[in-house]
């Protein structure tokens, strides 16, 4: 498992900023654009704020960046729970990403209609026929992921039937145990089609979940959904702080 333990949340955000810079520059050099999926929650804010500052701001090819969301809560985009709003306020309002490159999950439509609309959005943005769902999956260059204390990632929760999804790109969630309950999420096959999945994990409340993920390495159907993120042709990296790694904070 590619796991790096860093002293604190600031060091995690810095390491993540370096990784985002490397991946975005290399994808643009190879393919002319870079498609990134963002998560919500409280962890990525520090990274988002860092990316608006030197040296990262100057290093990232913002005009070639296409921004998607890994999951969204079913609220309007200006709601305090909105993952779009978080990314917009902390990052996107401060960097020159063209408006046409922002692919927001329409949480305000509700889980089913929102998921259906986002499937169309992905089909267009990745130039894939919608009918290809199940056979072909959108390939993200980078997905930023978080880990919940119960082992969830995106809006994929332990024991949920969605963990068996093999065809759909985007799915509705009506019963998220983490509020709010109604959500839209990318599915595991899409997470596992990515070129890179980058987990950011900080805080002692994540230590048990991280231990479970580490213990599940190599298991065929591990219980923590985050442990099922194993991109077939890509890589997974974990950037975690000492508290999440279950180690004492530096003295
Ligand atoms: C969401 C997230 C979710 C998150 C984890 C970790 O919308 O709730 O995308 O999967 O990444 O729950 O959240 P924290 O960063 O708040 O711990």
């Amino acid at each position: 498992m590619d796991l790096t333990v860093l002293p604190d949340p600031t060091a995690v955000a810095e390491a993540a900023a370096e990784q985002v810079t490397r991946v975005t520059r290399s994808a643009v050099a190879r393919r002319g654009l870079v498609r990134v999926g963002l998560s919500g929650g409280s962890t990525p804010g520090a990274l988002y704020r860092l990316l608006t500052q030197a040296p990262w701001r100057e290093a990232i090819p913002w005009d070639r960046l296409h921004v998607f969301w890994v999951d969204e809560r079913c609220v309007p985009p200006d709601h305090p729970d909105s993952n779009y709003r978080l990314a917009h306020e902390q990052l996107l309002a401060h960097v020159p990403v063209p408006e046409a490159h922002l692919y927001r999950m329409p949480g305000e439509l509700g889980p089913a209609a929102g998921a259906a609309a986002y499937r169309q959005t992905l089909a267009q943005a990745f130039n894939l026929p919608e009918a290809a769902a199940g056979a072909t999956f959108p390939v993200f260059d980078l997905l930023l992921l978080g880990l919940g204390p119960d082992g969830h990632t995106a809006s994929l929760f332990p024991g949920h039937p969605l963990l068996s999804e093999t065809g759909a790109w985007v799915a509705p969630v009506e019963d998220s145990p983490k509020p709010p309950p109604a959500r839209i999420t990318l599915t595991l096959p899409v997470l596992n089609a990515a070129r890179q999945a980058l987990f950011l994990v900080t805080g002692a409340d994540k230590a048990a979940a991280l231990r479970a993920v580490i213990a599940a390495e190599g298991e065929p159907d591990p219980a923590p959904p985050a442990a099922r993120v194993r991109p077939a042709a890509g890589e997974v990296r974990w950037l975690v702080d000492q508290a999440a790694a279950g180690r004492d904070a530096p003295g």
Side-chain angles (χ1 to χ4, degrees), residues 4-251:
T4 308
V5 182
L6 295 141
D8 54 31
T10 305
V12 168
E14 283 169 2
E18 260 174 52
Q19 189 60 18
V20 169
T21 305
R22 250 199 310 271
V23 172
T24 55
R25 291 175 72 98
S26 117
V28 168
R30 284 175 203 203
R31 288 179 291 277
L33 83 173
V34 56
R35 297 184 179 102
V36 175
L38 304 181
S39 281
S42 55
T43 313
L47 164 66
Y48 295 164
R49 290 191 297 276
L50 214 54
L51 294 176
T52 67
Q53 299 163 20
W56 319 109
R57 194 192 148 88
E58 289 68 36
I60 292 174
W62 299 110
D63 59 329
R64 306 296 182 89
L65 187 66
H66 291 244
V67 182
F68 300 80
W69 273 260
V70 165
D71 69 339
E72 183 56 280
R73 294 90 178 270
C74 288
V75 294
D78 57 354
H79 191 281
D81 285 341
S82 163
N83 288 343
Y84 167 80
R85 176 176 159 161
L86 169 83
H88 183 261
E89 284 185 348
Q90 313 256 338
L91 173 63
L92 300 168
H94 312 286
V95 293
V97 179
E99 193 66 30
H101 294 183
L102 301 180
Y103 305 89
R104 183 173 76 73
M105 279 184 169
E108 69 280 10
L109 298 183
Y118 208 59
R119 184 180 63 171
Q120 280 179 9
T121 300
L122 292 182
Q124 280 162 17
F126 284 81
N127 205 13
L128 295 171
E130 261 193 85
T136 309
F137 296 93
V139 176
F140 285 91
D141 294 294
L142 178 65
L143 294 174
L144 293 174
L145 298 173
L147 174 70
D150 59 355
H152 79 259
T153 192
S155 287
L156 301 167
F157 292 90
H160 197 279
L162 205 47
L163 298 181
S164 317
E165 180 59 58
T166 55
W169 298 343
V170 191
V173 177
E174 310 270 1
D175 51 2
S176 160
K178 178 181 179 182
R183 290 159 173 254
I184 302 164
T185 187
L186 298 183
T187 58
L188 266 178
V190 173
L191 303 190
N192 281 327
R195 295 196 170 94
Q196 180 166 147
L198 182 63
F199 280 90
L200 309 186
V201 188
T202 63
D205 61 322
K206 306 290 176 65
L210 185 59
R211 261 201 315 278
V213 168
I214 294 169
E217 201 181 0
E219 272 180 32
D221 291 310
R228 299 189 184 209
V229 179
R230 298 164 171 166
E235 54 181 25
V236 197
R237 292 192 178 194
W238 291 78
L239 300 176
V240 314
D241 73 351
Q242 297 214 352
R247 298 185 197 163
D248 290 339

